[in-house]
Amino acid sequence: MSDGDRIVIVGAGVAGLRSAERLRELGFDGEIVLVGDEPRKPYHRPMVSKELITGGVKPVAASLEPYVDLDVHWRLGTRATWLDSKERTVHLPGGESLWYDGLIIATGVYPRHLPGSPRHDPRVRVLRTVEDSLAVRRALGNSSKSVVVIGSGLIGNEFAASMRYMGRDVTLIGHAKAPLHRFGERIASALTKEHQHHRAKLAMNTEVRNWISTKETVGLHLTNNQFLVASCVVLSIGSVPAVDWLRGSELTIDDGVLCEATLFATGAEDVVVAGDVAKWPNLRIDETPRRVEHWMNGVESGRAAAESLMLGRGNARPYTPLPRAWSSLYDARLQTVGMPSLGKDTIELSDGVTGFVRDGRLIGAAGWDRPKAMIHWTAELERRLPVPEPVFPAPVPSPADTPIGEDILAPFERDFLSETPTEAVPAPERMPWARVPAG
């Protein structure tokens, strides 16, 4: 592309930031406009339920610093209201519009709301943004009573562990039989023991029947007939893709933005999608489009989406990562690789490592405090889930090839196994939008 061309990125999280970085890395010298609905520049979102909530770091310390000169126009605190894909225009509040030559959608997800919960009560919060974390801290400071978190997924468990780190009484409510039960009996049992050891209370196989808001506390009557009194309640029951602004845009927005394997949005020639909102077929797994809500996927898909946009739909390569993620819970480390959620059966691969099997095929693995064993099983899944050869055109050597260096990968972006190297991402020699004469 050349001066006068414009790429608009909607979504100022890690996926949007890494997309902008990759565009500059590939030599794009046109205009980049980065639109974000939060008032802050990109930051380490995993810190929201950990270091930010405990006060271990201040919000400014959570900022993600770009590793190249971005030279972008920031439109923060601005929510996109509508996309006209035919006219290549993103509409903003107040009747403003942004034309684009290329668009990257990276709007992520919103926390799911719990029907019947008193969301008007400032002590009932979700936990997604820095502002959410600060609001929870204010609620905690107003009372020394117990804290309740509803949801037994990863963020709910991280929050419960953070509360015990702060010395606060906490109860975790979940409708599953055990916390993180989706990762198998072994990991659920190990985490349950950690919670018990640190004196975090669990109310599993139950839900909230009634809410009672008083001047000083929030009461919760559970379906197991238990009654809890809390100074603060955090809702952590999953998320929904941020796609409302895309209604009527001719893009398919069923549980995310439907994409081709190359991350090009179906229904548009010049729109790619990255991060949690992208629903694409990972051909390493199968041809079924799915979303992946992991921090590393935001990093890698942001870069891949930028590459696809520069190459054009006809030359773009499929995005075929081996998903991986990790989290610290108390003093233990949870690591996952592949797609454990697709498993129909589980097997014990080694002590502390659970394998997930679908149709006789190992599809994922999860380890509880077993980093060395997970090195082996990550390599094994790389072998068992290879990238289909026909989907990649022959790579074109280019002096613009830029590896992902240690300076690029912030602590939450580094591979969940430090011994696993991050491969360089090839850059194309020529890009359709470069508008440089061939030869």
Side-chain angles (χ1 to χ4, degrees), residues 58-256:
K58 295 185 180 299
V60 66
S63 298
L64 281 171
E65 296 300 326
Y67 64 91
V68 296
D69 182 11
L70 287 183
D71 187 24
V72 304
H73 296 292
W74 295 95
R75 295 300 307 274
L76 300 177
T78 304
R79 177 170 294 183
T81 58
W82 182 54
L83 169 66
D84 187 338
S85 55
K86 288 185 177 180
E87 296 296 326
R88 296 183 175 181
T89 302
V90 174
H91 292 266
L92 305 178
E96 184 182 0
S97 61
L98 288 171
W99 59 266
Y100 63 82
D101 292 294
L103 173 66
I104 299 177
I105 297 173
T107 44
V109 294
Y110 296 131
R112 188 180 297 276
H113 296 307
L114 180 64
S117 62
R119 289 300 312 280
H120 61 279
D121 192 318
R123 296 162 299 186
V124 179
R125 314 295 309 191
V126 294
L127 197 57
R128 177 70 178 170
T129 68
V130 169
E131 276 62 39
D132 291 332
S133 183
L134 296 177
V136 170
R137 283 188 58 81
R138 287 193 296 271
L140 293 174
N142 291 332
S143 172
S144 61
K145 291 187 179 297
S146 180
V147 182
V148 169
V149 55
I150 302 175
S152 57
L154 187 57
I155 293 178
N157 282 280
E158 289 176 342
F159 177 78
S162 295
M163 291 300 95
R164 292 308 301 141
Y165 175 83
M166 296 173 64
R168 298 295 296 254
D169 290 336
V170 62
T171 299
L172 186 147
I173 301 172
H175 60 75
K177 62 186 295 186
L180 293 187
H181 188 258
R182 63 192 176 98
F183 291 123
E185 296 283 352
R186 298 174 187 86
I187 287 177
S189 176
L191 178 54
T192 297
K193 291 178 181 177
E194 284 290 325
H195 280 312
Q196 293 171 343
H197 175 72
H198 289 87
R199 294 183 295 174
K201 300 180 180 67
L202 300 178
M204 306 307 298
N205 274 326
T206 191
E207 298 177 0
V208 180
R209 177 180 289 159
N210 293 306
W211 295 78
I212 303 173
S213 293
T214 68
K215 183 177 180 180
E216 297 181 354
T217 60
V218 178
L220 301 91
H221 182 205
L222 309 185
T223 53
N224 66 359
N225 288 326
Q226 187 177 2
F227 187 79
L228 303 177
V229 177
S231 61
C232 176
V233 179
V234 169
L235 307 179
S236 180
I237 57 172
S239 57
V240 293
V243 296
D244 288 351
W245 67 286
L246 296 172
R247 300 188 190 282
S249 65
E250 299 190 356
L251 303 187
T252 303
I253 54 172
D254 178 22
D255 186 36

